Amino acid sequence: MSAAIDPRRDHVAGMWAGVGAFVLWGLMPLYWRLLEAVPSWQIVLHRIVWGALLVSAFLLWQRGRGWLRAVLRQPRTAALLALSGILIAFNWGLYVWAVNAGHVVETSLGYYVNPLLNVVLGVVLLHERLNRVQWVSVALAACGVAWLTLRFGQLPWIALGLALSFGIYGLLRKQVAVDPVVGLGVESLYLLLPAMAVLGWAEFRGHSGFFAFGAAPGWGWGTDLLLVASGVLTALPLIGFAYAVRRVPLSVVGFLQYIAPTLQLLIGVVVFHEPFDGERALGFAFIWAALLLFAGDGVLRARRQPAVAAG
């Protein structure tokens, strides 16, 4: 006779998994900065290779050998995952480059803006409708971006590039009815051979230091281990996130997601001493106000739904 599942204990486990996932994502700038000696594009390629191997091994252990075949039998799903794989690789590349180029504060802005940009994409591409509060939230965020652009003379393109690439990635994944970890596994396998080919070429030409062939100096075993472990950092938060969304209401997950950009912002300002003066803070304040309105509206609507259903 199987033991009954305790819903309260399951909820607490889901909360911890969600918090752990977003904390890991928030602390990642510290990790990527340890790999400053490695070109950003090579960090991303190593992340793809080791992440693909780890996720594939995890899925093989969990689901046996049929998980990949089941997805590839669906041509539309397979094609969408190929596109989403390219997008997430671009997102990773821009993010790692931005961190190691000293733009951690702007990366945090990108992930603050992302939920609101998702709403805009839903309106433009899926013809979704917004209520009045959501429109005010989007307008406040737009004011924040406009202020930062006017005061500093250029569009915050890193933030917008991260938010847009991740937003379209999420939109594509919304069209695919597969488990998040399975989806990541398929995306990673699409990218695996090209990533291995480019890394092999770089090693052979002396542009890489993982194996230190010939006269090319190696990065050292410490850096090599960090690159291998980047696969764990790719897979582990996503597995925790997938665990959390099955056990915790989405409105709660929506609040938890702001842990990551908040930690990134603190790391950028406190640890890496990036500039964050009053003018930048004002731009961020518009976006924080937009997020508070947006999240508060989501919580209120989530509370009303059971009452409507009961009536």
Side-chain angles (χ1 to χ4, degrees):
M1 188 174 177
S2 59
I5 295 172
D6 182 353
R8 191 171 177 182
R9 195 170 178 181
D10 211 36
H11 176 84
V12 171
M15 282 288 292
W16 278 113
V19 169
F22 288 113
V23 166
L24 275 175
W25 276 322
L27 295 177
M28 274 187 185
L30 297 172
Y31 194 88
W32 303 132
R33 193 58 71 90
L34 295 174
L35 290 165
E36 255 183 317
V38 182
S40 297
W41 61 273
Q42 291 193 41
I43 295 174
V44 174
L45 293 177
H46 277 283
R47 189 178 180 183
I48 290 168
V49 169
W50 302 113
L53 295 176
L54 180 68
V55 173
S56 299
F58 174 79
L59 288 169
L60 188 64
W61 171 58
Q62 285 280 303
R63 298 168 182 255
R65 290 180 294 179
W67 67 271
L68 180 60
R69 197 180 307 117
V71 174
L72 296 182
R73 281 177 184 158
Q74 307 169 58
R76 181 176 178 274
T77 297
L80 286 174
L81 286 173
L83 285 174
S84 63
I86 293 168
L87 271 171
I88 200 62
F90 170 81
N91 181 272
W92 290 347
L94 179 58
Y95 179 72
V96 172
W97 172 83
V99 167
N100 285 345
H103 301 292
V104 176
V105 168
E106 193 170 339
T107 67
S108 74
L109 176 64
Y111 291 110
Y112 278 127
V113 168
N114 178 247
L116 296 167
L117 188 61
N118 286 342
V119 170
V120 174
L121 289 172
V123 171
V124 174
L125 300 177
L126 301 180
H127 308 293
E128 295 176 353
R129 303 182 73 176
L130 303 186
N131 62 33
R132 202 169 295 171
V133 174
Q134 289 170 327
W135 275 119
V136 172
S137 299
V138 171
L140 280 171
C143 288
V145 171
W147 169 261
L148 291 170
T149 301
L150 289 171
R151 296 305 297 170
F152 300 103
Q154 64 174 17
L155 202 66
W157 64 271
I158 295 171
L160 294 177
L162 288 171
L164 191 61
S165 59
F166 200 70
I168 297 173
Y169 170 78
L171 195 65
L172 287 174
R173 289 298 301 271
K174 192 176 180 180
Q175 314 302 312
V176 179
V178 296
D179 177 87
V181 182
V182 171
L184 178 66
V186 176
E187 290 167 348
S188 301
L189 287 177
Y190 274 126
L191 299 169
L192 178 61
L193 288 180
M196 290 178 70
V198 174
L199 284 174
W201 173 84
E203 289 287 346
F204 181 75
R205 300 284 295 180
H207 300 314
S208 182
F210 191 81
F211 291 110
F213 284 139
W219 292 321
W221 65 267
T223 297
D224 288 355
L225 283 177
L226 288 173
L227 287 169
V228 173
S230 69
V232 178
L233 275 186
T234 297
L236 198 58
L238 188 83
I239 293 169
F241 176 76
Y243 184 89
V245 293
R246 291 194 187 98
R247 292 160 176 83
V248 178
L250 283 176
S251 58
V252 176
V253 175
F255 274 112
L256 293 180
Q257 72 179 318
Y258 300 120
I259 293 172
T262 301
L263 286 173
Q264 290 168 15
L265 176 62
L266 289 172
I267 288 169
V269 175
V270 177
V271 180
F272 299 145
H273 307 294
E274 292 183 15
F276 191 71
D277 52 24
E279 292 183 338
R280 281 184 176 84
L282 182 58
F284 271 74
F286 275 107
I287 292 158
W288 289 330
L291 290 172
L292 281 172
L293 265 180
F294 181 75
D297 178 66
V299 169
L300 285 174
R301 284 187 292 113
R303 284 181 177 173
R304 285 177 193 146
Q305 280 175 357
V308 171

